[in-house]
Amino acid sequence: MENSDAELKQKIISLRKRRNAIILAHNYQLGEVQDVADFVGDSLELSQKAAKTDADVIVFCGVHFMAETASILCPDKVVLLPDIHAGCPMADMITAEGLRERKRGLPGAIVVCYINSSAEVKAESDVCCTSANAVKVIESLDTEAILFVPDQYLGHYISTETDKRISLWPGFCPTHIRIQPQYIAKLKQEYPQAKVVVHPECRPEVIALADEVLSTGGLCRYANRSEVKEIIVGTEIGIIHRLRKENRDKKFIPASEQAICPRMKLITLESVLWSLQEMSPEVKVPEETRLKAKAAVDKMLETGRS
Ligand code: SF4
């Protein structure tokens, strides 16, 4: 007989305790997975949480690069990714070898790498950033020439917020590019009082129509604090679950119902339970790569503290 969600959650909670595990979930996870997590947040918040936890096991409900980041920061902990196929297509659009080649053509440029990248790519980079701190990280650098990888749209957005000279890598998020400017224009007509909040992974034509451009963590804080009653949400629709749960009096309208990341949705309550039972699949970054990648991640976290 199949377990109900309530039974699965109960089993996960008791096993989590036995394993001294913490469950971290990204804002794009399925609602039921968010509900069983100890902490739900964006990439920056989750990496900060991973860096501080005293749990022995981190169950990462997100995609592969996020589990790798946890392994980079916490080499002594067991980091589990409940479905090993949960990779990020944007992160797969760049390799360490490809980055090395591009660097050779841009001598003197500082490489800023979006956290949505593999540990090998981070290891080839000078500093990491997330969508929450990208502008701050880039502004903190005392060089003018930057190579930003792999998201061309986040890189383009940053270039509109800073005077630095930014070279781009042609990567993109297949989920965020599904959000089209005409969808936003139509919704603005339908909901004239609504504010439009979009993620910086969106196309520039979509960003041009936004009232706010925010990371998912920034969007949650904006929704909690602002007086606005209606928000058109231009990011992956998994976040709507959290927004509605935390703001029952507000209306959240997805900019596109098609903005779904299939890889994020691979993590289910069943896979979380199985992962805790089997202590698998484990994500572990080899030490040589880890140390180089950690230098880039640490530099980002230090910028966040300054
Ligand atoms: S939403 Fe986009 S960037 Fe985020 S994990 Fe999915 S494919 Fe990668």
Side-chain angles (χ1 to χ4, degrees):
M1 197 181 76
E2 281 190 13
N3 287 303
S4 69
D5 275 12
E7 283 169 316
L8 284 166
K9 278 181 190 161
Q10 215 32 63
K11 286 183 179 171
I12 290 168
I13 289 164
S14 71
L15 198 49
R16 174 186 64 187
K17 199 166 170 213
R18 219 163 359 114
R19 299 273 194 227
N20 188 25
I22 185 172
I23 302 177
L24 303 179
H26 190 269
N27 288 317
Y28 297 159
Q29 288 290 293
L30 291 169
E32 58 271 27
V33 173
Q34 293 186 29
D35 291 345
V36 84
D38 296 287
F39 183 78
V40 181
D42 63 18
S43 304
L44 177 61
E45 293 161 342
L46 294 175
S47 51
Q48 286 167 331
K49 207 76 184 171
K52 281 190 206 137
T53 184
D54 53 11
D56 297 318
V57 177
I58 299 173
V59 183
F60 219 113
C61 303
V63 288
H64 193 265
F65 74 81
M66 297 178 179
E68 274 192 336
T69 307
S71 166
I72 289 166
L73 293 168
C74 318
D76 301 333
K77 298 188 191 302
V78 175
V79 179
L80 302 173
L81 178 66
D83 190 317
I84 202 66
H85 303 293
C88 165
M90 181 207 284
D92 294 340
M93 290 177 191
I94 184 168
T95 61
E97 180 49 39
L99 177 53
R100 278 194 289 273
E101 201 180 313
R102 183 78 189 275
K103 276 163 63 172
R104 283 194 284 274
L106 288 168
I110 293 277
V111 180
V112 181
C113 142
Y114 190 21
I115 197 126
N116 297 30
S117 53
S118 67
E120 284 89 4
V121 167
K122 288 183 177 75
E124 281 296 327
S125 303
D126 296 294
V127 56
C128 283
C129 73
T130 70
S131 55
N133 63 17
V135 175
K136 191 172 177 188
V137 166
I138 286 191
E139 284 287 294
S140 75
L141 301 171
D142 52 12
T143 179
E144 290 310 306
I146 311 276
L147 169 59
F148 185 81
V149 300
D151 184 8
Q152 60 179 303
Y153 294 121
L154 175 59
H156 177 272
Y157 170 68
I158 300 163
S159 71
T160 64
E161 299 287 303
T162 166
D163 293 332
K164 306 272 186 196
R165 214 169 57 248
I166 302 182
S167 303
L168 301 175
W169 185 273
F172 60 90
C173 165
T175 296
H176 282 86
I177 64 159
R178 290 193 194 135
I179 301 171
Q180 301 279 348
Q182 62 270 27
Y183 303 162
I184 307 265
K186 191 163 175 283
L187 288 168
K188 274 173 85 156
Q189 281 184 341
E190 227 173 294
Y191 300 94
Q193 305 301 325
K195 291 285 182 201
V196 178
V197 183
V198 308
H199 193 277
E201 285 172 21
C202 289
R203 302 162 184 274
E205 311 87 270
V206 168
I207 288 180
L209 297 174
D211 296 295
E212 303 283 343
V213 182
L214 296 170
S215 66
T216 57
L219 165 57
C220 292
R221 284 188 292 280
Y222 174 85
N224 294 344
R225 286 181 198 149
S226 119
E227 297 291 307
V228 179
K229 290 288 176 218
E230 294 177 331
I231 300 178
I232 297 168
V233 178
T235 191
E236 210 274 354
I237 60 173
I239 198 165
I240 303 274
H241 173 81
R242 176 172 169 194
L243 290 169
R244 288 185 179 146
K245 196 168 151 185
E246 292 178 1
N247 304 275
R248 301 214 181 261
D249 57 329
K250 296 182 183 171
K251 189 173 176 73
F252 298 97
I253 308 122
S256 167
E257 295 284 356
Q258 294 161 20
I260 298 171
C261 177
R263 303 296 182 86
M264 282 277 179
K265 307 306 187 227
L266 286 176
I267 312 287
T268 60
L269 287 178
E270 283 85 353
S271 62
V272 172
L273 178 60
W274 178 83
S275 185
L276 271 167
Q277 282 167 339
E278 301 296 318
M279 293 296 280
S280 170
E282 185 178 358
V283 172
K284 192 147 188 68
V285 176
E287 191 60 6
E288 201 187 328
T289 307
R290 187 188 80 78
L291 288 174
K292 289 191 204 156
K294 186 171 182 295
V297 175
D298 281 348
K299 202 161 172 205
M300 168 187 83
L301 295 175
E302 278 157 26
T303 309
R305 278 192 283 272
S306 64

